Amino acid sequence: MHVTMTVNGTEVTRNVEPRLLLVHFLRETLGLTGTHWGCDTSNCGTCVVLVDGEPVKSCTALAAMTAGHEVRTVEGMADGGTLDPVQQGFMEAHGLQCGFCTPGMMLTARALLDREPDPDEATIREAISGQICRCTGYATIVRSIQWAAAHPAAAPSEQEVTA
Amino acid sequence: MQVPAPFEYARATSVRDVLELLERHGPESHVIAGGHSLLPMMKLRLARPEWLIDINDVVELRHIAEDGDVLRVGALARHADLLASEVVGRLFPLVHDAEKVIADPVVRNRGTIGGSLGQADPAEDLTTVCDVLRAQVVIAGPSGERVVDMADFHRGPYETACEQNELITEVRFPIRARSGSAYEKVERRVGDWAVGAAGAALQMADDGTIADAAIGLTALGLEGLATDAAAVLVGQRPSEGLVAEAGRLAAEASSPVEDQRGPVDYKRHLADELTRRVLRRALDRAGATAVQGG
């Protein structure tokens, strides 16, 4: 069947099997491997992408069900060469160790800050509670999101600041 | 990689459309909404529908509306919709108690009330919630619509009154004055199924006695309501002794099984303790005179 959806602002149409999961559509069909594929059981949350602005576990959605909707993946976070404040925050506050949970964490954080620009720590922890960091780096993930909340305009990179 | 068996996909845009598709494709067709129960089962090949009928575009089923003495909730209302609804929290605080601990926030963006009730997992929270609120479920089928009491809707684990060619369209919650409700769950970690949970809904009489009570348990081996536990409350003034007696009777009515989430005596203890906690909170929310102790 043909599915058409908007991925990171670009409309794409592909011929796929109805049983193709969204995570594999993004990774295999479109080659957008920034979205990670983890537990396959909607527990770990590394496969989270935004569908119409809402975080969704893409291992538990069909590409067919997502047709007609807008998908945003980690590849669509930066604006050209400028990182999203959430990405910048993960750099500034060391929000990743192995990096496996990072795409899902960042997109969930983006959706949270779009809805609630100045969340308290409990709200941040609740928002990411459906996601697992096996490095257990939650403290720095929370700090990264707090950094992004405190710097809502896309921050210049460190090099630009010091240049 | 977990991949569902092959199937055909159809997208419905109205209730009539869904019913026609179910009729056309027969017993091997299955409705999908949030998909967070069905897709995992399909990946494990525990479910192998030949046709999936996607109802996510049936927007007529996503309402949450106060209508006289009833709150109507469309079957496609997401967990996140219920949690975000001011009217739901005001009229039925136990729905918010439960929704806060159903799965996790991301899953709650997709899962629906109709899907939860239809799946009828024995550790699923909204069945208990709807039981104690004496909700009714509206089911649409080829010969029209029928309204079923929760007691008749939920037939046991994974079994409901909704037939294969029918669709759950709405859940109706009776709005009652001077009422209070609460739900509490013990889970091992965020998003896990309940080790055990209890829900209670109460209505107070003008003289400060309890006019009506309903108590339910989740994942603790009780189908339907804990009627004996509720009966000791009715006509009485709230007291800690009364709450304790109801807790004891709820535990007696439970019949938990040992599994990786805990042994029987622990789960029975939970039935007692959680019943007491939800009763105290429901009484408080109903504006009852403060219960002493505990």
Side-chain angles (χ1 to χ4, degrees):
Chain A
M1 67 179 290
H2 281 89
V3 296
T4 299
M5 68 183 81
T6 304
V7 179
N8 299 326
T10 305
E11 191 176 280
V12 296
T13 300
R14 293 290 187 278
N15 192 14
V16 301
E17 272 194 280
R19 62 174 167 168
L20 184 66
L21 298 164
L22 179 59
V23 64
H24 301 309
F25 177 76
L26 295 170
R27 288 177 55 87
E28 318 288 330
T29 310
L30 301 184
L32 296 172
T33 53
T35 300
H36 288 170
W37 168 53
C39 70
D40 222 354
T41 57
S42 72
N43 282 288
C44 81
T46 192
C47 67
V48 165
V49 298
L50 303 188
V51 177
D52 300 334
E54 274 187 348
V56 167
K57 292 182 175 177
S58 62
C59 76
T60 309
L62 298 168
M65 294 167 75
T66 318
H69 295 273
E70 282 191 22
V71 177
R72 193 173 175 200
T73 70
V74 67
E75 288 91 344
M77 287 191 84
D79 180 9
T82 309
L83 293 179
D84 185 280
V86 170
Q87 293 174 302
Q88 188 72 30
F90 272 68
M91 257 176 66
E92 302 286 342
H94 309 284
L96 58 143
Q97 293 175 54
C98 83
F100 193 73
C101 71
T102 311
M105 287 286 184
M106 292 201 303
L107 286 159
T108 299
R110 181 70 268 151
L112 168 67
L113 296 178
D114 287 345
R115 191 177 72 238
E116 210 171 323
D118 189 23
D120 60 20
E121 186 181 336
T123 306
I124 294 172
R125 286 186 178 273
E126 165 68 13
I128 60 168
S129 63
Q131 277 147 291
I132 293 170
C133 167
R134 277 292 183 235
C135 307
T136 70
Y138 297 102
T140 53
I141 290 169
V142 170
R143 266 180 239 140
S144 301
I145 299 169
Q146 287 170 327
W147 190 97
H151 300 79
S157 74
E158 208 171 295
Q159 283 161 328
E160 284 169 342
V161 173
T162 50
Chain B
M1 190 189 292
Q2 298 181 0
V3 180
F7 56 84
E8 300 292 325
Y9 171 90
R11 197 181 279 206
T13 52
S14 68
V15 172
R16 173 186 290 209
D17 211 9
V18 177
L19 296 176
E20 277 176 12
L21 285 163
L22 284 170
E23 201 65 37
R24 191 183 317 156
H25 299 304
E28 298 308 320
S29 58
H30 204 298
V31 160
I32 188 164
H36 276 61
S37 296
L38 183 56
L39 284 174
M41 287 174 70
M42 288 170 64
K43 287 178 174 186
L44 295 171
R45 310 287 172 112
L46 296 171
R48 296 184 70 145
E50 289 172 8
W51 276 88
L52 265 195
I53 299 162
D54 183 350
I55 64 166
N56 283 287
D57 284 355
V58 186
V59 286
E60 64 190 283
L61 296 182
R62 212 173 159 177
H63 57 280
I64 297 178
E66 208 174 333
D67 180 6
D69 56 1
V70 172
L71 181 78
R72 297 171 185 269
V73 176
L76 202 55
R78 314 274 175 193
H79 296 298
D81 296 338
L82 289 162
L83 202 46
S85 163
E86 183 275 332
V87 62
V88 168
R90 176 164 46 82
L91 294 173
F92 307 109
L94 93 164
V95 178
H96 277 192
D97 292 346
E99 285 293 358
K100 282 176 192 157
V101 292
I102 291 176
D104 64 59
V106 180
V107 172
R108 292 198 292 264
N109 284 336
R110 297 297 297 163
T112 64
I113 185 171
S116 290
L117 295 181
Q119 176 73 7
D121 189 289
E124 186 278 313
D125 301 281
L126 290 185
T127 296
T128 301
V129 165
C130 292
D131 269 340
V132 300
L133 290 175
R134 303 188 205 281
Q136 294 182 310
V137 181
V138 184
I139 300 172
S143 51
E145 208 176 74
R146 59 199 178 101
V147 182
V148 183
D149 289 340
M150 263 311 282
D152 299 320
F153 173 79
H154 185 85
R155 293 190 175 157
Y158 309 107
E159 206 186 335
T160 73
C162 184
E163 300 294 336
Q164 193 281 328
N165 60 351
E166 294 182 312
L167 180 71
I168 301 168
T169 55
E170 189 178 79
V171 185
R172 294 181 183 164
F173 298 97
I175 300 169
R176 304 196 295 172
R178 303 171 67 92
S179 63
S181 61
Y183 190 83
E184 186 165 333
K185 166 156 101 175
V186 169
E187 56 184 358
R188 294 181 305 175
R189 57 174 185 272
V190 167
D192 195 14
W193 295 107
V195 179
L202 302 164
Q203 187 172 28
M204 303 303 294
D206 290 338
D207 64 0
T209 60
I210 299 167
D212 188 28
I215 297 167
L217 302 173
T218 303
L220 293 169
L222 173 72
E223 292 291 343
L225 297 170
T227 43
D228 290 348
V232 297
L233 301 170
V234 175
Q236 304 296 316
R237 279 180 192 287
S239 71
E240 183 56 29
L242 196 65
V243 165
E245 178 63 4
R248 191 183 67 74
L249 289 168
E252 218 171 85
S254 73
S255 98
V257 291
E258 179 170 342
D259 59 14
Q260 76 274 23
R261 292 185 176 81
V264 167
D265 56 350
Y266 170 60
K267 291 188 180 184
R268 193 159 275 145
H269 165 77
L270 282 183
D272 183 351
E273 177 61 29
L274 293 177
T275 297
R276 295 184 198 209
R277 288 186 198 173
V278 293
L279 283 174
R280 287 188 204 110
R281 204 168 343 129
L283 282 164
D284 187 48
R285 286 168 171 173
T289 316
V291 178
Q292 294 298 306

